[in-house]
Amino acid sequence: MEFVQFEIPGPSRRVGVIEGDIVRDLTARDPKFNYLYDVLQTAFDARRPLTEFVRSLLAEDSIPTLSRQLLFQGSPGRNEPFVHPPLDHPDQRRVLITGTGLTHLGSMESRDQMHAAQKEEHSGPSVAAERAATSPQTDSARMFEFGVQGGKPQPGERGTAPEWFYKGDGGILRGHRGALEIPAFALDGGEEPEIVGCYIIDPSGRPRRLGFALGNEWSDHATEAINYLYLAPSKLRTCSIGPTLNTDWDFQDAALCCTVEREGRTIYDSGELRTGEKWMCHLLRNLEDHHFKYAQHRRPGDIHLHFFGTSKLSHKTRNWRFRAGDEIRIESPCFSEALVNHVVGGSRAGEGPILVAPA
């Protein structure tokens, strides 16, 4: 089942389910379903799994539909239907956006090239894994080695903790065809095509995985490249997920592709990227365990969106910087629609020093 959150100018926000070339409008069935969060809370109250509960609603033939093509062509800010992120919260402060890096068999090499004093020629994932396991040269390589050695624990055991970072709350979240900002203080933008885990904490405090979405984690790799300790601030900016939330993908193996277009011309094409446990040094359950082991990450009603990393970045392969108007497209056959965003310049409020006034 693939969920979508969307808006029709005038009526309200709405929740839909993708069925072939149409979107079935759950909000027309129950007007209180303005967010997928509302559907979830109703399913919890009924003590029924989400997809089972929604299928019971879809059994009614009278639920209105709209064209999938028309919906996904729309953009925010225009007088036309458009798509929101597939999971968020009425209170954006109740959304925690986080991620893990150095999870993929190709990611260590990309990071190592960014941070090592001497760059090495490209070698395949198996060579990267072997080098990390035998002669780590940087902290990035050492962290990757930890994952290779302990990221896939036996059932009932706790594995090695991955790299973890905070990105922001729901205020930085953008949906399909939303704008990704380059802050005035940033050195560059940077695409990160990833899979995003979508979670809610149920009334008992237990994390519940709803499914997965495509994501663009959008960072500043030029700042990060100065020193790897700048990784944390390089993440603090907008990101996007969507357009749909897929409840059925098993997180084993998926192909991704990312392209960047400027003025109608493709200036970057990642080629085929692979993601999922088959291509990672951590199990999904190990990554989830180390995120949700913290009590503050298990507050009932909170939404968690977690980026699981990528194997390739454009940063070290290009001689240009992102600029306003660039269009980034991320797609995968595991999701019915591509995630498309455009780049904009951010507010100039952060261009100069921020002066703090006494209370």
Side-chain angles (χ1 to χ4, degrees), residues 58-313:
L58 295 176
E60 301 182 12
D61 294 334
S62 60
I63 293 181
T65 65
L66 66 158
S67 163
R68 189 178 98 179
Q69 181 180 12
L70 177 66
L71 178 60
F72 290 110
Q73 286 178 343
S75 297
R78 300 177 182 176
N79 189 30
E80 59 188 6
F82 68 93
V83 175
H84 285 283
L87 181 65
D88 57 0
H89 193 288
D91 181 352
Q92 63 185 26
R93 296 169 296 182
R94 300 293 300 275
V95 178
L96 182 67
I97 305 174
T98 55
T100 49
L102 298 172
T103 51
H104 287 67
L105 298 180
S107 61
M108 186 282 293
E109 187 169 62
S110 294
R111 184 80 67 82
D112 211 27
Q113 287 176 343
M114 184 183 295
H115 296 155
Q118 293 183 345
K119 309 299 187 293
E120 300 179 3
E121 292 184 358
H122 177 75
S123 56
S126 61
V127 176
E130 182 179 355
R131 183 169 65 246
T134 57
S135 57
Q137 299 177 352
T138 65
D139 285 342
S140 296
R142 293 186 187 97
M143 179 61 76
F144 181 79
E145 180 189 2
F146 295 158
V148 170
Q149 294 181 349
K152 296 187 175 183
Q154 295 298 312
E157 297 180 356
R158 172 163 284 165
T160 300
E163 176 190 66
W164 183 96
F165 60 85
Y166 170 75
K167 192 153 181 73
D169 66 13
I172 67 164
L173 185 61
R174 303 292 183 265
H176 177 59
R177 300 198 182 279
L180 296 175
E181 299 173 359
I182 300 179
F185 55 80
L187 299 180
D188 196 5
E191 87 299 332
E192 294 208 20
E194 305 186 20
I195 299 295
V196 182
C198 302
Y199 304 87
I200 188 171
I201 311 302
D202 73 14
S204 72
R206 183 177 184 180
R208 300 276 185 169
R209 186 194 320 118
L210 309 180
F212 302 95
L214 292 174
N216 188 341
E217 200 249 294
W218 193 238
S219 300
D220 181 354
H221 302 128
T223 292
E224 181 189 348
I226 296 172
N227 187 293
Y228 73 95
L229 295 179
Y230 282 151
L231 181 143
S234 78
K235 301 293 187 182
L236 299 176
R237 58 212 64 221
T238 51
C239 63
S240 63
I241 71 167
T244 66
L245 188 160
N246 186 335
T247 66
D248 297 329
W249 184 51
D250 63 5
F251 202 75
Q252 290 305 302
D253 183 17
L256 294 173
C257 180
C258 177
T259 57
V260 180
E261 288 197 2
R262 174 175 293 170
E263 298 175 348
R265 181 173 59 91
T266 300
I267 58 173
Y268 174 71
D269 187 335
S270 69
E272 183 181 81
L273 309 174
R274 307 301 299 196
T275 191
E277 280 189 356
K278 180 179 179 180
W279 306 94
M280 297 169 70
C281 61
H282 288 269
L283 295 175
L284 174 63
R285 59 178 168 84
N286 191 56
L287 299 174
E288 292 176 333
D289 169 44
H290 284 289
H291 177 77
F292 290 112
K293 68 185 180 185
Y294 302 103
Q296 63 264 40
H297 290 178
R298 302 193 303 274
R299 184 172 63 170
D302 281 358
I303 295 293
H304 291 251
L305 302 173
H306 192 82
F307 285 84
F308 286 113
T310 186
S311 61
K312 184 178 180 181
L313 307 172

Side-chain angles (χ1 to χ4, degrees), residues 2-4 16-20 22-24 68 71-72 244 336:
E2 280 191 278
F3 288 98
V4 61
V17 175
I18 306 292
E19 287 189 358
I22 63 171
V23 178
R24 301 191 70 186
R68 189 178 98 179
L71 178 60
F72 290 110
T244 66
S336 62

